[in-house]
Amino acid sequence: MEYDVAFVGLGYVGLSSAVCFADRGINVLGIEIDSKKLNMIKKSNSPIHEKNINELLQKSIKKKKLSFSKELKDVTKTKIIFLTVGTPSRKDGSIDLKYINQATKDIAIAIKNIQEYFVIVVKSTVVPGTALKIVKNLERYSGKKNSIDFGVVVNPEFLQEGNAINDSLKPDKIVLGINSEKDKKIMFNLFKKIYRKNLPIVYTTPSNAELIKYANNSLLATKISFMNYIARIAEQIPDGDVEEIKNAIGMDKRISESFLNAGLGFGGSCFPKDVKALIAFSKEMNINSDILQSVLTINDTQFMSVFDILKKELGSLQGKKISILGLSFKPETDDIRDAISLKIIKKLLDKKATIRVYDPIANDNVRDIFGKSISYASNSESCIKGSECCIIVTEWKEFKNIKPKDFTRLMKRPLIIDGRRIFSKKKFNKLEYHAIGLG
Ligand code: UDX
């Protein structure tokens, strides 16, 4: 075998994993059908923005640990094939398996006449039962038998954007949904070369592994919406402050302190999509999803608190100069998929405000959507200059260094809406300072 593993689909998960495996000495073949994307990757110019990814790409390509192909039939150059294609949302929230189905069919045809045992590892996020469908399709198009000629393993990914390399190399856990001892051995032998010793591997069934991914993300999303709900209450009570509530409840080990930050809501390519997919999946089984429906409702309306404050402080927004700091769905990424900034800009445009935005790396992505209808600053100072209100939408580190006196000096009116609680209420109390979850 020319390669130890192949990754089919070099999106966020595929590329980060491919680079990390290669860095650990595994011979990796990355397969991507999008030529534009593939050409960028080959030049060590990653299409996704991640710390160290270009350096690792360059190093692995140079050491010949990472090679690429545009052809799916090349999966036969390895015995372990990771499926890392996208599973986008359909209109009703359910996931669209078209890329999975196509890749599965192509893999089946490619392995048809090869007398080797292949393991197909499903890393894409898929609802329970998908691995079974993949098995059926592989059998149908290859004429081979599951467990005898090939195995299907489910290995969901939990990496966070902005920290993808670190998360890929040092995950909290590895979940492996397996059907046979043979697949378990193959996966263990691969993973022991990549990860630290004593890594907590959770062995389970493929269906459970599929559900674990959705349960994991939906629970985290629920924590956030719950805190946003508490934030709304805190805003209405004298001296209320959701930060103080968070610090106290986070000390309870049963709750833990992470993912309790109230804000303008969660965005990104995973939480909104995965919660919707779990709701759609539950519906097929007549299971009530009110709990997750509320998570979404809170999230969809959370940004409106900005407009409540704007209405109270500025009245009509027509022609008012509003500055926005932070556009990406979270810091350390230029990803604006489902970013809250987009909803806020749309609504501000409806209200005919004059908008100036700044993000350390996501300006261009937002420009692709809003073009000249808003203006783009190249730093935070020039963004807030002359504005009548500044909204902090994403908690980039560099914004935390802006001092109260900078806002007073530069803004026409020092009205701040801190959507991510990055400033100290004590230091900002001389300004017109409003914040999520602050009464
Ligand atoms: C998420 C999961 O964390 C990860 O395990 C999975 O593999 C993919 O989905 P990601 O989308 O990269 O990762 O971002 P994450 O850091 O989880 O944040 C998601 C959103 O929640 C962001 O918009 C963030 O601002 C928001 N968030 C997060 C909060 O509002 N409060 C918090 O306390 C944490």
Side-chain angles (χ1 to χ4, degrees):
M1 283 289 138
E2 273 178 69
Y3 300 98
D4 297 316
V5 301
F7 283 89
V8 176
L10 297 179
Y12 230 104
V13 170
L15 185 58
S16 312
S17 311
V19 162
C20 290
F21 279 34
D23 189 56
R24 290 286 154 101
I26 305 293
N27 291 311
V28 180
L29 175 67
I31 301 179
E32 172 58 57
I33 52 171
D34 179 336
S35 319
K36 200 174 146 203
K37 202 189 244 183
L38 192 61
N39 286 337
M40 284 177 76
I41 295 171
K42 279 181 179 167
K43 288 180 197 142
S44 303
N45 181 15
S46 163
I48 57 167
H49 180 94
E50 268 311 319
K51 286 187 284 279
N52 302 332
I53 198 161
N54 286 339
E55 291 76 3
L56 284 183
L57 256 174
Q58 202 170 20
K59 200 169 110 192
S60 304
I61 294 171
K62 205 169 158 196
K63 282 190 172 169
K64 299 205 164 18
K65 287 288 164 195
L66 183 56
S67 309
F68 303 98
S69 167
K70 207 179 160 309
E71 306 291 336
L72 233 112
K73 61 174 171 32
D74 286 337
V75 290
T76 53
K77 294 179 179 167
T78 173
K79 283 195 292 185
I80 307 178
I81 305 163
F82 282 82
L83 260 184
T84 44
V85 295
T87 49
S89 287
R90 288 211 199 90
K91 267 211 176 94
D92 65 355
S94 64
I95 52 166
D96 190 339
L97 291 178
K98 64 182 172 192
Y99 301 122
I100 292 271
N101 291 339
Q102 188 58 51
T104 306
K105 190 174 168 186
D106 292 345
I107 292 170
I109 294 167
I111 65 173
K112 194 173 175 156
N113 297 315
I114 297 182
Q115 299 306 315
E116 285 281 353
Y117 184 85
F118 289 93
V119 179
I120 291 92
V121 188
V122 186
K123 224 183 203 335
S124 306
T125 301
V126 292
V127 293
T130 309
L132 266 179
K133 287 185 192 160
I134 292 175
V135 165
K136 286 209 178 100
N137 276 335
L138 286 169
E139 286 187 332
R140 184 171 155 207
Y141 295 109
S142 70
K144 288 178 177 278
K145 277 259 143 291
N146 180 34
S147 297
I148 296 167
D149 305 312
F150 68 85
V152 171
V153 170
V154 176
N155 172 223
E157 180 55 60
F158 301 97
L159 66 79
Q160 284 178 269
E161 287 188 24
N163 202 32
I165 300 300
N166 197 40
D167 283 349
S168 298
L169 290 172
K170 293 179 199 147
D172 286 349
K173 61 176 177 275
I174 287 188
V175 174
L176 277 179
I178 39 158
N179 273 325
S180 70
E181 279 302 311
K182 188 172 181 175
D183 294 347
K184 185 174 172 179
K185 237 189 213 150
I186 293 174
M187 293 308 291
F188 182 77
N189 284 336
L190 171 69
F191 284 171
K192 76 174 185 210
K193 294 181 204 150
I194 300 168
Y195 303 112
R196 68 179 191 270
K197 282 198 183 94
N198 305 326
L199 177 80
I201 300 186
V202 180
Y203 293 107
T204 181
T205 62
S207 296
N208 281 331
E210 290 165 326
L211 187 53
I212 286 169
K213 168 74 191 199
Y214 282 102
N216 214 99
N217 268 0
S218 299
L219 183 58
L220 291 173
T222 304
K223 279 183 99 173
I224 299 169
S225 275
F226 177 80
M227 287 314 287
N228 286 337
Y229 156 75
I230 297 293
R232 292 178 191 189
I233 298 174
E235 282 162 20
Q236 299 303 322
I237 56 176
D239 295 328
D241 187 352
V242 74
E243 284 286 288
E244 294 185 19
I245 321 268
K246 174 192 92 175
N247 292 338
I249 64 175
M251 289 166 76
D252 189 324
K253 283 195 190 71
R254 293 167 302 175
I255 295 175
S256 109
E257 62 195 356
S258 59
F259 277 71
L260 290 183
N261 291 320
L264 294 172
F266 56 77
S269 65
C270 288
F271 283 176
K273 167 179 169 267
D274 291 353
V275 173
K276 284 179 198 152
L278 191 53
I279 293 174
F281 183 67
S282 306
K283 205 171 164 189
E284 284 173 28
M285 291 173 292
N286 272 327
I287 296 169
N288 179 296
S289 299
D290 281 357
I291 181 167
L292 291 185
Q293 207 64 62
S294 304
V295 167
L296 288 183
T297 308
I298 293 173
N299 200 55
D300 289 343
T301 49
Q302 183 64 8
F303 79 103
M304 285 303 293
S305 57
V306 165
F307 289 88
D308 295 341
I309 300 167
L310 285 173
K311 194 171 172 198
K312 211 165 111 206
E313 297 295 333
L314 295 177
S316 159
L317 295 181
Q318 184 156 16
K320 298 271 160 64
K321 291 188 179 121
I322 312 288
S323 48
I324 294 181
L325 290 180
L327 300 168
S328 53
F329 85 95
K330 67 172 196 179
E332 307 302 330
T333 176
D334 64 349
D335 197 340
I336 55 161
R337 284 176 289 178
D338 264 320
I340 306 299
S341 64
L342 307 181
K343 295 195 211 176
I344 295 181
I345 294 171
K346 264 186 208 133
K347 198 154 182 76
L348 283 172
L349 281 173
D350 286 348
K351 295 193 175 291
K352 303 200 164 36
T354 304
I355 309 157
R356 193 161 170 75
V357 301
Y358 168 66
D359 187 283
I361 54 176
N363 273 10
D364 287 344
N365 289 338
V366 169
R367 194 182 275 115
D368 288 343
I369 298 177
F370 292 103
K372 288 183 178 153
S373 57
I374 62 175
S375 64
Y376 307 85
S378 52
N379 55 51
S380 39
E381 286 214 346
S382 69
C383 182
I384 63 177
K385 201 170 177 189
S387 81
E388 292 158 87
C389 176
C390 171
I391 312 166
I392 319 293
V393 178
T394 315
E395 65 277 33
W396 281 96
K397 241 191 222 142
E398 63 175 74
F399 301 154
K400 294 179 187 165
N401 298 328
I402 312 176
K403 303 270 173 323
K405 64 175 192 304
D406 299 325
F407 284 107
T408 355
R409 175 171 58 88
L410 291 161
M411 290 175 71
K412 187 171 168 192
R413 176 177 168 184
L415 172 63
I416 319 289
I417 304 179
D418 184 350
R420 297 286 176 187
R421 300 302 303 264
I422 65 170
F423 297 126
S424 133
K425 62 181 178 191
K426 275 195 198 114
K427 286 189 187 147
F428 274 71
N429 67 4
K430 287 209 175 78
L431 309 188
E432 294 180 74
Y433 179 69
H434 297 262
I436 291 295
L438 190 60

